[in-house]
Amino acid sequence: MRDKPRQNFAGLWNISFGFFGIQIGFALQNANMSRIFQSLGERVDDLAILWIAAPLTGLLVQPVIGYFSDRTWGRFGRRRPYFFGGAVLATLALFGMPNAPGLFAAAMLLWMLDASLNIAMEPFRAFVGDMLRRDQHTAGYALQTAFIGAGAVIGSATPFLLDRLGIANVAGGGGVPDTVRYSFYLGGAVLFAAVAWTVLTTREYSPAELAAFDGLAAAPHDPPPAPPASTLGGLAWIGAGGGIALLVLLLRLEKELALLGALVALYGVARLAAGWLHARGASDNVLTHIVGDFAGMPPIMKRLALTQFFTWSALFIMWIYTTPVVAQYAFGSADPASAAYNAGGNWVGILFAMYNLVAALTAAFLLQPMARRFGKGRTHAGALVIGAIGFLSFFGLRDPYALLLAEVAIGIAWASILAMPYAILASSLPQRKLGIYMGLFNIFIVVPQLLVATVMGTIVRHFFPTEPIWTMAFAAAVMLLAALSMLRVREGDGGEGVSVAG
């Protein structure tokens, strides 16, 4: 057999259906966590630091899960044990989140929820690449995006719909309202059922089969890459991290910025440790693989990394600040205990549902023909420009219903963000390292979120503490930078010389 069997629509459906449930969990988190934090007494300018658990968890979890899933094979398959285990833990976190007794408990549950969702999500990205031929990669990731959009619509809109059914939308004496509480319960149940569907209806290819498809000899796994040998490089990263921490101390900057310095220094320590292990022959371990593969990324992955950095900076700003922006400017209240603010919080769920609905429709009907005509790279760049226009629209659209137009533009960008970079990578990366490369690619989603979480609160506090609308201008600017960076992506930059133009 020279190539994988072509999957019909039912096969494509089964492979990606679990993402429907996972995205319900992400949608509930994205649309409601700021609301839960504020209901528990947190100020708007401190929201960003509480969100830091989410990207930090992804940074640590996804490369490790990618590494181990590449090397896993047993009775239950290669990727499926990971996304099933993640789904079980995420379900438990969703059940517990709305019952958090205080801010600390809510932050810890957010950490657990995001870790679990990342454990489930990372293997799904590689799973599509494992199961599909190259000429079906765009179709596979587009359908996955459609499921993501559909799941996010349901997750985002559920509090609004429960309110319409008569469920209490304001908690007596403050706290988390019943609309949010029941939404998290329903979301946990659906997440578990959707992932179980994929687990029960798919059969993974064994490592020997995957090797045969690529015309390679069967092997347990690839040999370990050589990590960076320069001790000076590791020390430079440690010094840079220490310099950031020193600036925080001398300039009396926000303490959260010190976390960024700690992460930079930690990478330097990881480089030194990986080099030390490699020099002593102990190179076949998770640390040397992650550090070595990160340093030796294919050129196309490096170019896409810059795009991802800017793109996800913009998205994280949107997820943190849309609720206070909409509540204040479209519903006239900045008081989290007021009925108007909570009505605005519900409307944010509808706005998020709209951009996800548009993303689902765009992925299902437009992405593939646009990519065939203009190429994946140009299609993605154009979609990011449209997304930037959507962020800028918040300045001119103050009517709640008019804001739906802004979400249409954001939804077009979101469809491409969830499909095009992964379709490009899956066709360009070596099959046996797809899990770890997809996990490492997540670093360029996580790092900008950490940066936003540590810096954006400081910017809001010092420059526009009562005018959060300006966060949308930041989001638009960095999204335009993401579009410009796509001009650097050239066909033939992949590890296997595959064109990204089709």
Side-chain angles (χ1 to χ4, degrees):
M1 189 181 296
R2 292 296 181 186
D3 205 350
K4 298 169 189 172
R6 188 173 183 84
Q7 295 282 348
N8 59 21
F9 182 76
L12 293 172
W13 178 286
N14 293 338
I15 288 167
S16 292
F17 186 67
F19 233 121
F20 170 74
I22 292 171
Q23 193 58 34
I24 286 179
F26 273 119
L28 287 168
Q29 172 184 296
N30 292 340
N32 294 286
M33 283 313 304
S34 288
R35 181 179 182 180
I36 290 173
F37 286 145
Q38 287 191 279
S39 296
L40 293 172
E42 191 56 278
R43 299 183 308 173
V44 65
D45 53 0
D46 287 330
L47 287 176
I49 192 59
L50 287 174
W51 275 77
I52 205 167
L56 183 60
T57 302
L59 179 65
L60 299 174
V61 166
Q62 288 217 21
V64 174
I65 294 298
Y67 167 83
F68 283 111
S69 71
D70 279 343
R71 292 164 165 250
T72 295
W73 182 254
R75 178 180 176 186
F76 300 106
R78 188 185 193 193
R79 315 289 184 188
R80 289 180 298 167
Y82 295 94
F83 50 72
F84 183 75
V88 171
L89 294 174
T91 298
L92 295 175
L94 285 168
F95 286 167
M97 181 69 72
N99 299 303
L103 278 172
F104 178 79
M108 292 301 98
L109 282 167
L110 174 60
W111 198 302
M112 176 181 173
L113 175 61
D114 205 80
S116 304
L117 291 172
N118 274 285
I119 291 170
M121 181 184 70
E122 199 285 332
F124 258 108
R125 295 293 193 193
F127 188 57
V128 172
D130 289 344
M131 300 295 291
L132 299 181
R133 301 153 46 119
R134 293 185 191 279
D135 60 0
Q136 287 195 292
H137 283 164
T138 300
Y141 285 108
L143 183 60
Q144 190 178 85
T145 298
F147 277 129
I148 290 171
V153 168
I154 293 173
S156 299
T158 300
F160 178 88
L161 296 175
L162 292 178
D163 182 26
R164 290 296 182 267
L165 291 174
I167 305 299
N169 192 46
V170 178
V176 179
D178 285 344
T179 51
V180 175
R181 192 183 311 276
Y182 296 152
S183 295
F184 274 66
Y185 298 158
L186 290 170
V190 174
L191 185 155
F192 180 81
V195 173
W197 176 280
T198 291
V199 170
L200 295 173
T201 60
T202 56
R203 183 193 73 83
E204 295 187 69
Y205 298 119
S206 69
E209 289 175 305
L210 290 173
F213 291 142
D214 287 339
L216 302 173
H221 50 77
D222 278 358
S230 172
T231 301
L232 184 60
L235 293 175
W237 281 97
I238 295 173
I244 293 173
L246 184 61
L247 285 175
V248 171
L249 179 64
L250 294 178
L251 301 180
R252 298 183 179 179
L253 301 175
E254 298 297 327
K255 294 179 181 178
E256 299 89 355
L257 293 174
L259 177 61
L260 187 62
L263 290 172
V264 171
L266 183 61
Y267 175 65
V269 172
R271 282 175 58 121
L272 293 176
W276 184 83
L277 290 170
H278 183 77
R280 282 153 183 77
S283 58
D284 196 8
N285 58 74
V286 62
L287 180 63
T288 55
H289 272 268
I290 288 175
V291 172
D293 284 325
F294 183 77
M297 288 185 297
I300 195 169
M301 189 169 167
K302 293 178 181 178
R303 295 179 189 277
L304 282 169
L306 184 62
T307 301
Q308 293 290 87
F309 178 87
F310 290 128
T311 297
W312 288 85
S313 295
L315 292 171
F316 206 57
I317 291 170
M318 176 186 73
W319 290 328
I320 293 174
Y321 292 105
T322 298
T323 294
V325 167
V326 171
Q328 180 171 333
Y329 296 94
F331 286 80
S333 177
D335 178 9
S338 69
Y341 181 95
N342 280 281
N346 278 359
W347 191 250
V348 169
I350 295 301
L351 295 178
F352 283 12
M354 171 60 79
Y355 86 70
N356 281 288
L357 175 62
V358 171
L361 295 173
T362 300
F365 299 108
L366 292 179
L367 278 187
Q368 291 184 71
M370 294 296 289
R372 282 194 297 266
R373 180 170 182 180
F374 300 107
K376 295 184 183 77
R378 292 188 186 92
T379 297
H380 191 45
L384 295 176
V385 171
I386 294 171
I389 294 171
F391 289 130
L392 287 175
S393 298
F394 276 81
F395 282 85
L397 302 174
R398 299 299 173 89
D399 179 81
Y401 289 96
L403 286 173
L404 293 170
L405 297 175
E407 299 302 325
V408 170
I410 294 170
I412 293 170
W414 184 232
S416 187
I417 290 164
L418 293 176
M420 288 296 105
Y422 300 100
I424 292 169
L425 283 181
S427 298
S428 306
L429 298 177
Q431 180 70 53
R432 287 187 295 188
K433 299 179 77 70
L434 195 55
I436 192 168
Y437 274 135
M438 287 292 186
L440 290 171
F441 194 55
N442 184 65
I443 290 174
F444 305 106
I445 295 174
V446 170
V447 169
Q449 294 181 47
L450 286 172
L451 189 62
V452 168
T454 54
V455 172
M456 204 65 205
T458 302
I459 293 173
V460 170
R461 187 177 298 112
H462 288 289
F463 293 99
F464 37 86
T466 61
E467 297 292 337
I469 188 70
W470 288 101
T471 58
M472 295 301 165
F474 275 81
V478 293
M479 190 66 92
L480 286 174
L481 290 174
L484 288 173
S485 70
M486 276 303 296
L487 300 178
R488 301 176 64 248
V489 177
R490 296 285 187 268
E491 62 182 77
D493 283 344
E496 300 175 18
V498 178
S499 170
V500 302

